[in-house]
Amino acid sequence: MSEYSIRPARTADISGIHALLEPLVERRILLGKDLAVLYGAVQEFVVAEADGELIGCGALHVMWEDLGEVRTLLVREDHLHHGIGRALVEELERRAEDLGLTRLFCLTFETVFFTRLGFTPIGEHVVAPDVYSQLLRSGDAGVEEFLDLAHVKPNTLGNTRMLKHLN
Ligand SMILES: CC(=O)SCCNC(=O)CCNC(=O)[C@H](O)C(C)(C)COP(=O)(O)OP(=O)(O)OC[C@H]1O[C@@H](n2cnc3c(N)ncnc32)[C@H](O)[C@@H]1OP(=O)(O)O
């Protein structure tokens, strides 16, 4: 496999991220994101690049003072199982630690992958009731999935809620 690098996303990467995301959205593995939402979240993203092509991406979304979410993580099919997913998550963890976060959430079908990275399955309540009620106002689809609201449950069927405590 050719060398790859992990770097912060730039606006010119967004249409490529959108294209990588599309087949996974169709298979209901990842949540669909409009281009306008992706451009607005560009600073959340890191990308993996090889030979000038995008081969993966992942994002860190801050939810609360101590809590963030790994989201929109994917590696292009022809580059799977070469450690790129791990490298993307490790970079997002570094960002999380720099921001002062101590807990990282994810909602995923890829439980083996996330378990190897130190995430463990969790129950429903990982924030205090007052934080829960304030998060209800976020208007963010991913946060609504985190809160397990009834209207997003069809999107999250079969996914596992996982959490990692950062050092
Ligand atoms: C929070 C979210 O965004 S959830 C959505 C997660 N993304 C998806 O489901 C999209 C589809 N899946 C993917 O794009 C990829 O499978 C990813 C991103 C989950 C993993 O990417 P990869 O680059 O293949 O992972 P990577 O090669 O870094 O694997 C890391 C480790 O997990 C292991 N692993 C990866 N996938 C699997 C698997 N399906 N079964 C068992 N072990 C696995 C690897 O052997 C490796 O172990 P090691 O580091 O101890 O050697």
Side-chain angles (χ1 to χ4, degrees), residues 29-30 70 72-75 81-83 85-86 108 110 112 116:
I29 292 174
L30 290 176
V70 173
T72 321
L73 176 76
L74 65 92
V75 171
H81 301 293
H82 287 93
R86 171 182 284 267
T108 187
E110 295 281 355
V112 174
R116 282 183 189 238

Side-chain angles (χ1 to χ4, degrees), residues 4 24 27 29-30 55 57-59 69-77 79-90 105-110 112-114 116-117 159:
Y4 69 88
L24 293 161
R27 288 161 56 200
I29 292 174
L30 290 176
I55 56 165
C57 66
E69 180 187 10
V70 173
R71 51 170 65 171
T72 321
L73 176 76
L74 65 92
V75 171
R76 211 171 73 183
E77 215 152 24
H79 286 75
L80 290 172
H81 301 293
H82 287 93
I84 299 168
R86 171 182 284 267
L88 285 164
V89 174
E90 286 174 349
F105 170 77
C106 73
L107 183 67
T108 187
F109 292 111
E110 295 281 355
V112 174
F113 170 78
F114 279 102
R116 282 183 189 238
L117 289 171
N159 277 278

